[in-house]
């Protein structure tokens, strides 16, 4: 149902707006794909896609992204790479006309292919976000795209090394806002508003930082961000959103046929 | 008034019915509908062979099929040879070590597949246990087994050697000592005893174990998903791609039928071996 913002006083401090049906969705946390890197091996991480490519070429075998279709980080990396060559509007469109425009992007992916992680004599794209994160943690690679929340919560729990840090490149990898909605068939509207309002309070936002390394949508300057300082650099207002809908299946199939099969 | 025989029949069918229905609904019906779907066009639903042609004309898919057969056949051959040697050792060597191995070799069967795969990865990966032990001696051992057919075969061996050894050991255990002693008494050498007595008497179990190992590996998923490379792929992963990534359900159905047919070759061998009586058993 359409939200009555007068019942959500805390929403006033949230500037982030959902990219779809903003009148119905109240964003409460964000997360984004970033570049995760080992700060011991890479003291100054690349800041742009071009710098990243230069770094890959100077350090062959030390970068990996996961197979698209098995985890959002790989999806984000390949789609960002391809759509960097397309007009901005294409990234949120499922119009089939854009399929014809992918060639330049796929040629780019092919050009960086030889510099990716390899094992057993051939280039390998591991399955799942965790696949690349494990390689990074084991020191087999120095950099990979991954989810900010995933990297930071695993680092906080000690599952991965403290020297693993995150950074964003320009043009940025894609992120998303998670939103709450109220269904029309609900029975306790006031309760729903009360809960949503609570989720936007500094207190609840801090819990989400601690428990799920969420990027807070309210002012975090008064929050205890110990262990999650990296989040402060990520600004939800310039999140790059992607939604190519049904095109993603053709996209993944083309990647499998043209990139994954090179070996 | 119902006759007694009729009532008995009713009870019998009543008892069989639940199991029959479960099998029909969860096995027979899905197989039937998958076979039908595999011959249907994705968009129009009309009869077509395209879904099958795709897997036999697309070079990548042909490579996937050959790759799967390679990995599975290598697994079968190595697992059976090692298991046979192990079974022979367990059958004919009487020592404390043999008894200990006899109890321990089944342990891998009790480790959940996922844990075993991750444990293996931790040991054999290029930065794994073996690499770290090597580093203590100043060596940089990179096995290159991860994301490679050889790594998957190593993992398959862990699962299948104990299983095959169990079946073959049971077969060897059924060979009476008297037969072997008899052969030795008439002057047969150890090798001769093996080739003309032990091997013929246990070959049936070897074939049966091979067919089981073959079938259980054709559709494997966990191991190739976590340890396999991007291309070529095992059919289990290729099927996952068709179904989950590209959402082509008709091609998925066709690939399932293809995998089913590959397995049924092995099932045929199994049934043939079981039906065929040994010459000396015919009386």
């Amino acid at each position: 149902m359409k939200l009555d913002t007068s019942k959500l006083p805390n929403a006033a401090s949230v500037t982030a707006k959902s990219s779809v049906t903003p009148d119905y969705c109240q964003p409460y946390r964000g997360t984004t794909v970033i570049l995760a890197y080992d700060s011991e091996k890479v003291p100054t991480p690349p800041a742009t896609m071009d710098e990243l490519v230069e770094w890959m070429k100077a350090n062959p075998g030390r970068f990996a992204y996961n197979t698209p279709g098995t985890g959002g980080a790989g999806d984000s990396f390949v789609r960002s790479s391809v759509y960097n060559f397309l007009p901005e509007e294409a990234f949120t469109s499922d119009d089939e006309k854009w399929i014809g425009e992918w060639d330049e992007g796929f040629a780019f992916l092919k050009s960086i292919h030889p510099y990716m992680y390899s094992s057993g004599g051939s280039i390998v794209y591991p399955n799942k976000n965790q696949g690349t994160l494990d390689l990074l943690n084991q020191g087999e690679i120095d950099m990979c795209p991954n989810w900010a929340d995933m990297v930071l919560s695993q680092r906080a729990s000690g599952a991965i090394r403290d020297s693993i840090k995150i950074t964003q490149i320009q043009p940025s990898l894609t992120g998303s806002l998670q939103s709450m909605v109220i269904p029309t068939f609900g029975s306790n509207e006031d309760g729903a508003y009360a809960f949503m309002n609570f989720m936007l309070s500094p207190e609840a936002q801090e819990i989400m930082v601690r428990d799920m390394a969420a990027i807070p949508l309210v002012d975090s300057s008064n929050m205890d961000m110990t262990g999650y300082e990296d989040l402060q650099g990520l600004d939800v207002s310039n999140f790059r959103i992607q939604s190519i809908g049904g095109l993603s299946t053709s996209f993944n199939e083309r990647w499998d046929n043209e990139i994954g099969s090179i070996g | 008034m119902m006759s007694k025989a009729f009532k008995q029949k009713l009870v019998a069918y009543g008892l069989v019915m639940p199991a029959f229905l479960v099998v029909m609904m969860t096995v027979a019906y899905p197989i039937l509908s998958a076979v039908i779907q595999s011959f249907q066009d994705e968009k129009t639903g009309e009869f077509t062979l395209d879904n099958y042609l795709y897997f036999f004309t697309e070079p990548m898919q042909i490579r996937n099929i050959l790759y799967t057969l390679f990995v599975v056949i290598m697994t079968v051959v190595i697992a059976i040879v090692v298991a046979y040697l192990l079974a022979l050792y367990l059958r004919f060597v009487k020592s404390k070590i043999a008894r200990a191995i006899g109890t321990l070799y089944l342990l891998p069967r009790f480790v959940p597949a996922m844990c075993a795969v991750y444990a293996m990865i931790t040991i054999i990966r290029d930065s794994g246990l073996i690499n770290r032990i090597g580093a203590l001696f100043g060596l940089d051992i990179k096995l290159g087994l991860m994301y490679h057919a050889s790594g998957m075969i190593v993992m398959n061996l862990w699962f299948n050697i104990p299983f095959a050894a169990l079946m073959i050991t049971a077969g060897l255990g059924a060979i009476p000592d008297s037969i072997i002693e008899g052969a030795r008494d008439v002057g047969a050498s150890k090798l001769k005893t093996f080739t003309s007595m032990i091997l013929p008497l246990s070959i049936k179990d070897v074939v049966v174990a091979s067919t089981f190992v073959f079938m259980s590996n054709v559709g494997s998923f966990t191991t190739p998903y976590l340890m396999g490379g991007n291309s070529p792929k095992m059919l289990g992963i290729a099927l996952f791609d068709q179904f989950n990534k590209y959402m082509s359900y008709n091609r998925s159905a066709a690939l399932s039928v293809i995998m089913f047919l590959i397995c049924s070759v092995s099932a045929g061998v199994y049934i043939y071996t079981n039906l065929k009586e040994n010459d000396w058993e015919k009386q």
Side-chain angles (χ1 to χ4, degrees), chain B residues 57-274:
Chain B
T57 50
E58 203 52 41
M60 201 169 89
Q61 298 297 343
I62 297 173
R63 278 209 307 276
N64 288 346
I65 293 176
L66 295 176
Y67 182 71
T68 304
L69 289 175
F70 168 75
V71 170
V72 173
I73 290 170
M74 287 302 281
T75 302
V76 170
V77 171
I78 302 174
I80 295 297
V81 168
V82 174
Y84 196 79
L85 293 174
L86 178 65
L88 281 177
Y89 173 77
L90 293 176
R91 169 70 180 79
F92 296 110
V93 177
K94 308 271 175 250
S95 71
K96 270 191 181 152
I97 299 174
R99 269 207 303 279
I101 293 177
T103 344
L104 288 175
Y105 84 99
L106 284 177
L107 264 186
R109 304 282 311 154
F110 297 98
V111 178
M114 195 68 118
C115 302
V117 173
Y118 271 108
M120 184 65 84
I121 292 176
T122 315
I123 293 168
I124 65 167
R125 71 187 311 160
D126 285 352
S127 59
L129 179 72
I130 293 173
N131 179 275
R132 285 171 198 205
I133 291 173
L136 293 178
F137 302 99
L139 303 167
D140 187 20
I141 306 169
K142 291 208 189 309
L143 296 172
L145 289 174
M146 276 302 287
Y147 312 111
H148 194 271
S150 49
M152 282 192 280
I153 294 171
V154 169
M155 192 68 236
N156 289 344
L157 293 180
W158 150 281
F159 287 119
N160 291 294
I161 288 175
F163 171 71
L166 181 69
M167 292 185 77
I168 299 172
T169 309
L172 288 179
I175 302 174
D177 281 339
S178 58
I179 289 186
I180 293 144
E181 281 157 15
R184 303 284 289 157
D185 284 346
V186 295
S189 67
K190 278 190 176 171
L191 186 68
K192 186 76 187 152
T193 315
F194 175 73
T195 52
S196 56
M197 285 297 172
I198 301 171
L199 190 61
L201 286 175
S202 57
I203 194 74
K204 199 166 147 181
D205 300 289
V206 170
V207 174
V208 170
S210 308
T211 58
F212 271 87
V213 172
F214 184 90
M215 283 190 281
S216 65
N217 281 289
V218 168
S220 63
F221 181 79
T222 314
T223 307
Y225 192 65
L226 295 170
M227 300 180 74
N230 304 102
S231 180
K233 292 170 180 172
M234 295 280 287
L235 290 180
I237 307 297
L239 181 60
F240 174 81
D241 284 348
Q242 292 297 334
F243 192 84
N244 286 41
K245 271 174 147 184
Y246 319 147
M247 294 180 220
S248 355
Y249 300 125
N250 302 76
R251 277 183 189 167
S252 309
L255 183 53
S256 306
V257 174
I258 293 169
M259 289 166 77
F260 181 77
L261 291 176
I262 293 175
C263 284
S264 60
V265 172
S266 171
V269 172
Y270 169 72
I271 293 169
Y272 175 75
T273 324
N274 262 355

Side-chain angles (χ1 to χ4, degrees), chain A residues 137-148:
Chain A
N137 188 42
Q138 300 287 333
E140 289 189 48
I141 55 170
D142 300 328
M143 228 186 269
C144 66
N146 227 299
W147 288 101

